[in-house]
Amino acid sequence: MTPLEIFAVLMSVIGVALTIQRNILCWGFNIVACTLYAYLFFEFKLYGETLLQGIFIIMNFYGLYHWWTDHQQSHEIKIISIARQLVILQLLLSAVLGLLLGLTLKYWTDAAVPLLDAQLAAFSLLATYWTSRRYIATWMLWVWIDIIYVGMFIYKDLLLTAGLYAGFVGLALFGWWQWKQIEYKQLQAS
Protein backbone atom coordinates (compact mmCIF):
# COMPACT_ATOMS: atom_id res chain seq x y z
CA MET A 1 0.00 0.00 0.00
CA THR A 2 1.59 3.21 -1.20
CA PRO A 3 0.50 6.86 -0.86
CA LEU A 4 -0.20 6.77 -4.61
CA GLU A 5 -2.58 3.83 -4.21
CA ILE A 6 -4.30 5.50 -1.24
CA PHE A 7 -4.85 8.74 -3.18
CA ALA A 8 -6.06 6.81 -6.26
CA VAL A 9 -8.56 4.93 -4.10
CA LEU A 10 -9.84 8.19 -2.59
CA MET A 11 -10.30 9.81 -6.01
CA SER A 12 -12.06 6.67 -7.30
CA VAL A 13 -14.52 6.53 -4.41
CA ILE A 14 -15.40 10.19 -4.81
CA GLY A 15 -15.81 9.72 -8.58
CA VAL A 16 -18.19 6.76 -8.20
CA ALA A 17 -20.17 8.45 -5.42
CA LEU A 18 -20.66 11.50 -7.63
CA THR A 19 -21.66 9.26 -10.57
CA ILE A 20 -24.36 7.65 -8.44
CA GLN A 21 -25.67 11.14 -7.67
CA ARG A 22 -25.53 12.00 -11.39
CA ASN A 23 -23.20 14.90 -10.50
CA ILE A 24 -21.22 16.02 -13.53
CA LEU A 25 -18.12 16.57 -11.35
CA CYS A 26 -17.74 12.77 -11.27
CA TRP A 27 -15.91 12.90 -14.58
CA GLY A 28 -13.11 15.14 -13.26
CA PHE A 29 -12.47 12.93 -10.24
CA ASN A 30 -12.56 9.86 -12.47
CA ILE A 31 -9.95 11.40 -14.80
CA VAL A 32 -7.60 12.02 -11.86
CA ALA A 33 -8.18 8.49 -10.53
CA CYS A 34 -7.52 6.94 -13.95
CA THR A 35 -4.28 8.88 -14.33
CA LEU A 36 -3.05 7.71 -10.93
CA TYR A 37 -4.05 4.11 -11.57
CA ALA A 38 -2.43 4.07 -15.02
CA TYR A 39 0.91 4.75 -13.36
CA LEU A 40 0.29 2.28 -10.54
CA PHE A 41 -0.83 -0.55 -12.82
CA PHE A 42 2.15 -0.04 -15.11
CA GLU A 43 4.43 -0.52 -12.12
CA PHE A 44 2.66 -3.83 -11.34
CA LYS A 45 2.85 -5.05 -14.97
CA LEU A 46 -0.90 -4.99 -15.44
CA TYR A 47 -0.59 -3.63 -18.97
CA GLY A 48 -4.19 -4.25 -19.95
CA GLU A 49 -5.27 -2.19 -16.96
CA THR A 50 -2.69 0.49 -17.81
CA LEU A 51 -4.03 0.73 -21.35
CA LEU A 52 -7.55 0.69 -19.98
CA GLN A 53 -6.84 3.68 -17.74
CA GLY A 54 -5.57 5.65 -20.73
CA ILE A 55 -8.72 4.84 -22.67
CA PHE A 56 -10.79 5.60 -19.56
CA ILE A 57 -9.34 9.09 -19.51
CA ILE A 58 -10.59 9.62 -23.08
CA MET A 59 -13.94 7.99 -22.24
CA ASN A 60 -14.28 10.24 -19.20
CA PHE A 61 -13.91 13.30 -21.41
CA TYR A 62 -16.56 11.78 -23.69
CA GLY A 63 -18.83 11.18 -20.69
CA LEU A 64 -18.29 14.71 -19.45
CA TYR A 65 -19.19 16.08 -22.88
CA HIS A 66 -22.25 13.83 -23.21
CA TRP A 67 -23.58 14.59 -19.72
CA TRP A 68 -22.87 18.30 -20.16
CA THR A 69 -24.75 18.43 -23.45
CA ASP A 70 -27.71 16.53 -22.02
CA HIS A 71 -27.75 18.78 -18.96
CA GLN A 72 -27.67 21.92 -21.14
CA GLN A 73 -30.65 20.68 -23.17
CA SER A 74 -32.93 19.35 -20.43
CA HIS A 75 -31.33 20.70 -17.22
CA GLU A 76 -31.33 17.10 -15.98
CA ILE A 77 -29.24 14.00 -16.57
CA LYS A 78 -31.84 11.39 -17.54
CA ILE A 79 -31.53 7.63 -17.11
CA ILE A 80 -31.99 5.49 -20.23
CA SER A 81 -32.76 1.80 -20.79
CA ILE A 82 -30.87 -0.22 -23.39
CA ALA A 83 -32.37 -2.81 -25.75
CA ARG A 84 -31.61 -6.44 -24.89
CA GLN A 85 -30.28 -7.17 -28.41
CA LEU A 86 -27.83 -4.29 -28.10
CA VAL A 87 -26.69 -5.55 -24.69
CA ILE A 88 -25.97 -9.01 -26.11
CA LEU A 89 -24.21 -7.64 -29.19
CA GLN A 90 -22.01 -5.28 -27.19
CA LEU A 91 -21.16 -7.96 -24.59
CA LEU A 92 -20.10 -10.37 -27.36
CA LEU A 93 -18.05 -7.69 -29.08
CA SER A 94 -16.33 -6.84 -25.79
CA ALA A 95 -15.52 -10.52 -25.17
CA VAL A 96 -13.94 -10.86 -28.62
CA LEU A 97 -11.94 -7.65 -28.25
CA GLY A 98 -10.84 -8.75 -24.78
CA LEU A 99 -9.65 -12.08 -26.15
CA LEU A 100 -7.68 -10.39 -28.94
CA LEU A 101 -6.08 -7.97 -26.49
CA GLY A 102 -5.37 -10.80 -24.07
CA LEU A 103 -3.59 -12.87 -26.70
CA THR A 104 -1.58 -9.82 -27.72
CA LEU A 105 -0.54 -9.22 -24.12
CA LYS A 106 0.23 -12.91 -23.58
CA TYR A 107 2.56 -13.29 -26.54
CA TRP A 108 4.13 -9.84 -26.79
CA THR A 109 4.51 -8.59 -23.20
CA ASP A 110 5.45 -9.85 -19.77
CA ALA A 111 1.93 -9.13 -18.48
CA ALA A 112 1.14 -10.82 -15.17
CA VAL A 113 -2.37 -12.14 -16.02
CA PRO A 114 -2.87 -11.21 -19.67
CA LEU A 115 -6.17 -12.90 -20.56
CA LEU A 116 -8.02 -11.93 -17.39
CA ASP A 117 -6.52 -8.44 -17.45
CA ALA A 118 -7.62 -7.92 -21.06
CA GLN A 119 -11.15 -9.27 -20.55
CA LEU A 120 -11.69 -7.03 -17.56
CA ALA A 121 -10.33 -4.10 -19.54
CA ALA A 122 -12.70 -4.76 -22.46
CA PHE A 123 -15.78 -5.12 -20.28
CA SER A 124 -14.80 -2.08 -18.20
CA LEU A 125 -14.67 -0.01 -21.38
CA LEU A 126 -18.15 -1.19 -22.25
CA ALA A 127 -19.40 -0.34 -18.77
CA THR A 128 -17.83 3.12 -18.98
CA TYR A 129 -19.46 3.67 -22.36
CA TRP A 130 -22.80 2.60 -20.90
CA THR A 131 -22.28 5.03 -18.00
CA SER A 132 -21.57 7.88 -20.41
CA ARG A 133 -24.79 7.02 -22.27
CA ARG A 134 -26.67 6.85 -18.93
CA TYR A 135 -27.79 3.23 -19.46
CA ILE A 136 -29.03 1.83 -16.18
CA ALA A 137 -27.57 -1.59 -17.12
CA THR A 138 -24.11 -0.15 -16.51
CA TRP A 139 -24.46 -0.78 -12.78
CA MET A 140 -25.11 -4.53 -13.05
CA LEU A 141 -22.22 -4.91 -15.48
CA TRP A 142 -19.98 -3.06 -13.01
CA VAL A 143 -21.07 -5.41 -10.20
CA TRP A 144 -19.80 -8.47 -12.08
CA ILE A 145 -16.65 -6.77 -13.34
CA ASP A 146 -15.76 -5.48 -9.88
CA ILE A 147 -16.25 -8.89 -8.25
CA ILE A 148 -13.71 -10.40 -10.63
CA TYR A 149 -11.36 -7.43 -10.18
CA VAL A 150 -11.29 -8.09 -6.43
CA GLY A 151 -9.83 -11.54 -7.04
CA MET A 152 -7.25 -10.28 -9.54
CA PHE A 153 -6.06 -7.50 -7.26
CA ILE A 154 -5.78 -9.88 -4.30
CA TYR A 155 -3.70 -12.17 -6.52
CA LYS A 156 -1.42 -9.22 -7.43
CA ASP A 157 -1.18 -8.19 -3.75
CA LEU A 158 -2.85 -4.83 -4.37
CA LEU A 159 -4.95 -5.28 -1.25
CA LEU A 160 -6.15 -1.71 -0.85
CA THR A 161 -7.25 -1.67 -4.48
CA ALA A 162 -8.97 -5.05 -3.95
CA GLY A 163 -10.79 -3.48 -1.02
CA LEU A 164 -11.72 -0.52 -3.19
CA TYR A 165 -13.22 -2.81 -5.81
CA ALA A 166 -15.09 -4.76 -3.14
CA GLY A 167 -16.53 -1.42 -2.09
CA PHE A 168 -17.31 -0.69 -5.74
CA VAL A 169 -19.53 -3.79 -5.79
CA GLY A 170 -21.63 -2.26 -3.03
CA LEU A 171 -21.57 1.17 -4.65
CA ALA A 172 -22.63 -0.31 -8.00
CA LEU A 173 -25.57 -2.08 -6.35
CA PHE A 174 -26.51 1.18 -4.65
CA GLY A 175 -26.06 3.06 -7.93
CA TRP A 176 -28.38 0.61 -9.68
CA TRP A 177 -30.99 1.03 -6.96
CA GLN A 178 -30.64 4.82 -7.00
CA TRP A 179 -30.90 5.05 -10.77
CA LYS A 180 -33.91 2.69 -10.74
CA GLN A 181 -35.68 5.14 -8.42
CA ILE A 182 -34.87 8.01 -10.76
CA GLU A 183 -35.94 6.01 -13.81
CA TYR A 184 -39.27 5.27 -12.12
CA LYS A 185 -39.81 8.96 -11.37
CA GLN A 186 -38.94 9.85 -14.97
CA LEU A 187 -41.47 7.33 -16.27
CA GLN A 188 -44.16 8.71 -13.99
CA ALA A 189 -43.42 12.27 -15.10
CA SER A 190 -43.67 11.42 -18.81
Side-chain angles (χ1 to χ4, degrees):
M1 182 172 11
T2 65
L4 174 65
E5 186 180 13
I6 293 168
F7 190 56
V9 165
L10 180 62
M11 293 295 101
S12 296
V13 169
I14 293 170
V16 171
L18 290 172
T19 303
I20 290 170
Q21 296 173 0
R22 296 175 306 138
N23 185 318
I24 203 162
L25 294 176
C26 68
W27 300 105
F29 282 93
N30 290 332
I31 289 167
V32 171
C34 291
T35 304
L36 297 171
Y37 266 115
Y39 182 77
L40 182 71
F41 290 147
F42 185 78
E43 286 185 333
F44 279 81
K45 296 185 178 187
L46 291 170
Y47 302 128
E49 295 309 308
T50 304
L51 176 63
L52 175 65
Q53 298 308 310
I55 297 170
F56 271 170
I57 291 168
I58 295 165
M59 292 291 295
N60 276 292
F61 280 109
Y62 172 78
L64 174 63
Y65 168 78
H66 197 72
W67 280 31
W68 180 262
T69 321
D70 188 52
H71 187 266
Q72 293 300 314
Q73 292 171 359
S74 66
H75 303 290
E76 180 181 22
I77 298 170
K78 294 184 179 181
I79 308 303
I80 301 171
S81 294
I82 183 173
R84 182 174 295 162
Q85 299 88 338
L86 190 55
V87 167
I88 293 168
L89 176 67
Q90 290 180 354
L91 287 172
L92 288 173
L93 181 60
S94 294
V96 169
L97 292 174
L99 178 63
L100 293 173
L101 175 60
L103 292 172
T104 301
L105 292 175
K106 181 178 179 177
Y107 292 111
W108 291 337
T109 73
D110 62 344
V113 283
L115 295 173
L116 179 61
D117 188 14
Q119 285 297 328
L120 288 170
F123 284 109
S124 293
L125 284 174
L126 177 61
T128 301
Y129 172 73
W130 284 1
T131 303
S132 71
R133 301 299 297 174
R134 302 168 330 276
Y135 296 148
I136 199 164
T138 192
W139 294 110
M140 283 298 117
L141 182 55
W142 277 122
V143 166
W144 291 108
I145 292 167
D146 291 339
I147 288 170
I148 298 167
Y149 266 127
V150 169
M152 184 179 78
F153 291 136
I154 289 172
Y155 173 75
K156 289 302 295 175
D157 204 29
L158 288 165
L159 300 181
L160 186 59
T161 300
L164 170 68
Y165 278 74
F168 280 169
V169 172
L171 286 172
L173 287 168
F174 179 71
W176 175 80
W177 178 80
Q178 188 87 359
W179 282 29
K180 272 308 237 189
Q181 304 302 310
I182 294 163
E183 182 184 49
Y184 178 74
K185 289 176 185 174
Q186 287 175 187
L187 290 173
Q188 282 187 326
S190 60

